[in-house]
Amino acid sequence: MIEPPPWFAKGLPHVWLPYAQMKTTPPPLAAVATQGSRIKLADGRELVDGIASWWTACHGYNHPHIAQAVRRQLEAMPHVMFGGLVHEQALTLARRLAQLAPGGLNRVFFTDSGSVAVEVAMKMAVQLHLNRGERGRVKFLSFRGGYHGDTFACMSVCDPDEGMHAAFAGVVPAQVVVDLPRDEESEKAFETALAAHEGELAAILAEPLVQGAGGMIFHDAEVLRRLRRAADSIGVPLILDEIFTGFGRTGTMFACEAAGVVPDILTLSKALTGGTLPLAATIATGEVFDAFWSDDPAHALMHGPTFMGNALACAAANASLDLFEREPRLDQVAHVSALLARGLEPCRDLKGVVDVRAMGAIGVVELEKISDLAGLKRRFVERGVFVRPFGRIVYLTPAFTISDDELATLTQAIVAALAEKG
Ligand code: PMP
């Protein structure tokens, strides 16, 4: 085994890692380079990447078109504050996103992370009612299995038990969190919750088609149409969080398109820059925006992150949109989808496997439980792949450009590692 580089041993005692019990977590892997669907480690090993860095690197790593756009922007102007100044990359991106997003979603507010994009969406929803003179609409109806980020408002709308934030139950505001209305029983509970909280709800908030970090749980398009009708019936906006599902992950550019549902507010991040730089967007319809359009300064949306509309990130996002226009990404997603379904199918016969499913470029093996998560992660690395199971889930969300061979390496590693467990 090659010794880790000096920066690893010297720096590790000073860094605090995500979602980790620092005392017991196994040491992380030292990455030194990426290319396509590969991650090169400091010790010379190369892993096929099954996660695309939390679902961001949809074109694979180091795409030359994105790299060139960022390099060009870096020379001209890496960043200027968005207060009082605008620039070509941000305005071009806003226009392109408005064109790309379904229906009347045409006003883009840029932020720098998914959580903040959701915070902004929630703030928009609350203030929309205040600006219209309706007080008391301050709560959100969200769903079990949902995940919307780790900041305080976001934590409140995540699944209260599964969402990693149970310890904060007494700190975050209590929201109305119910099951998605997917059958008779949950439909009844949904209707009851709607009726009980109708007057105090600011918005309904959901991840469309796939609840990602909450467990890669799929639901039908009909569920989204039900949410649209519910939001309309009580006169509140429907917020769809497409931070995971947006940009082709579920098979269409946006998951809501598959259901023919247009939200009032849409949140995007992750694959927005093709995974190269942090950027997020909260996109509102003209109708939502109109509630803020006023001679009264108090009706303005009071939000403005320092790195809002960062020029490098916007350049990366514009280049990523070029790639969606020029290259057959959605066809590639359909191809990856078929290979994921076929490649993971043998898992169905393994002991402890509850379900195997695929939608778009998402492949999921759901287990009764994973008793040795660290051991399973290690076995994946030993097989030359980077896969990051969580909860009871082993999943793949590869780059859409991954080769058939690389994808086979990933699915075979999962089948073998789960079979080995016995
Ligand atoms: N919403 C969804 C649906 C997500 O998947 C995530 C990130 N996993 C977030 C919000 C939060 O994004 P970020 O980690 O960039 O704050």
Side-chain angles (χ1 to χ4, degrees):
M1 197 64 145
I2 298 166
E3 280 288 299
W7 56 260
F8 186 83
K10 286 185 188 161
L12 205 53
H14 301 288
V15 79
W16 204 328
L17 298 169
Y19 307 119
Q21 171 44 263
M22 293 297 290
K23 185 174 177 186
T24 54
T25 194
L29 303 167
V32 290
T34 50
Q35 192 60 52
S37 285
R38 307 259 171 166
I39 301 171
K40 194 169 175 199
L41 302 183
D43 62 11
R45 284 179 297 174
E46 209 174 66
L47 303 180
V48 177
D49 180 16
I51 308 298
S53 283
W54 275 327
W55 332 317
T56 61
C58 58
H59 313 288
Y61 296 112
N62 307 33
H63 196 289
H65 181 64
I66 299 180
Q68 192 193 28
V70 173
R71 226 176 279 126
R72 205 181 298 132
Q73 187 60 39
L74 182 64
E75 293 297 322
M77 184 178 71
H79 179 74
V80 284
M81 63 188 280
F82 216 54
L85 296 167
V86 293
H87 51 84
E88 183 179 359
Q89 293 297 342
L91 294 202
T92 301
L93 181 60
R95 175 183 56 75
R96 291 176 81 178
L97 288 174
Q99 275 167 359
L100 197 61
L105 290 159
N106 59 20
R107 189 65 71 154
V108 181
F109 192 96
F110 289 115
T111 51
D112 38 23
S113 78
S115 297
V116 178
V118 172
E119 295 267 346
V120 169
M122 293 173 74
K123 204 164 171 179
M124 278 177 184
V126 168
Q127 196 177 347
L128 167 112
H129 300 293
L130 291 173
N131 286 359
R132 287 176 181 165
E134 201 179 349
R135 305 200 74 78
R137 285 194 175 273
V138 292
K139 289 215 172 296
F140 290 83
L141 182 70
S142 65
F143 299 94
R144 285 204 189 92
Y147 174 83
H148 298 284
D150 294 340
T151 57
F152 273 81
C154 295
M155 285 199 285
S156 77
V157 286
C158 289
D159 185 300
D161 306 314
E162 301 290 328
M164 303 181 280
H165 308 128
F168 292 90
V171 187
V172 298
Q175 309 291 9
V176 186
V177 187
V178 297
D179 286 329
L180 280 167
R182 48 165 97 228
D183 56 23
E184 216 173 293
E185 197 187 330
S186 51
E187 167 62 27
K188 252 193 215 131
F190 178 65
E191 276 171 25
T192 307
L194 264 186
H197 298 281
E198 187 176 340
E200 56 174 353
L201 288 180
I204 297 176
L205 166 62
E207 290 163 273
L209 296 191
V210 183
Q211 292 177 305
M216 300 290 166
I217 311 161
F218 301 171
H219 58 258
D220 293 339
E222 181 48 36
V223 171
L224 294 182
R225 292 192 276 272
R226 177 71 189 96
L227 300 189
R228 181 67 273 178
R229 289 196 300 275
D232 289 342
S233 74
I234 60 168
V236 298
L238 174 65
I239 304 171
L240 290 183
D241 177 352
E242 295 235 18
I243 287 165
F244 172 43
T245 55
F247 302 104
R249 184 55 67 183
T250 64
T252 48
M253 198 60 180
F254 302 108
C256 62
E257 287 173 317
V261 166
V262 181
D264 303 283
I265 302 173
L266 175 73
T267 56
L268 300 172
S269 186
K270 294 206 186 268
L272 173 58
T273 63
T276 49
L277 283 150
L279 185 69
T282 306
I283 313 184
T285 58
E287 209 179 335
V288 170
F289 181 73
D290 282 348
F292 293 78
W293 182 267
S294 154
D295 293 320
D296 185 347
H299 285 181
L301 180 66
M302 296 309 281
H303 210 96
T306 304
F307 283 100
M308 175 172 187
N310 174 261
L312 292 177
C314 290
N318 278 314
S320 176
L321 293 186
D322 293 342
L323 294 175
F324 275 103
E325 282 170 13
R326 287 182 201 166
E327 298 184 8
R329 283 292 175 272
L330 296 185
D331 295 341
Q332 288 168 317
V333 171
H335 179 69
V336 166
S337 195
L339 293 187
L340 280 172
R342 202 182 313 147
L344 294 175
E345 187 56 28
C347 293
R348 214 180 280 283
D349 300 327
L350 299 177
K351 204 166 135 249
V353 171
V354 176
D355 189 30
V356 177
R357 54 184 179 267
M359 184 194 297
I362 308 166
V364 184
V365 181
E366 184 176 332
L367 299 144
E368 276 163 21
K369 64 171 190 309
I370 299 176
S371 35
D372 179 13
L373 197 60
L376 185 57
K377 286 179 188 169
R378 199 183 54 244
R379 288 207 295 281
F380 285 135
V381 174
E382 284 163 7
R383 289 175 189 283
V385 300
F386 185 73
V387 179
R388 212 181 133 83
F390 67 93
R392 299 184 292 111
I393 299 294
V394 179
Y395 75 98
L396 292 174
T397 49
F400 305 157
T401 51
I402 192 167
S403 73
D404 290 7
D405 283 351
E406 287 167 330
L407 200 50
T409 303
L410 287 168
T411 54
Q412 283 163 13
I414 290 182
V415 177
L418 293 182
E420 191 185 316
K421 188 182 57 115

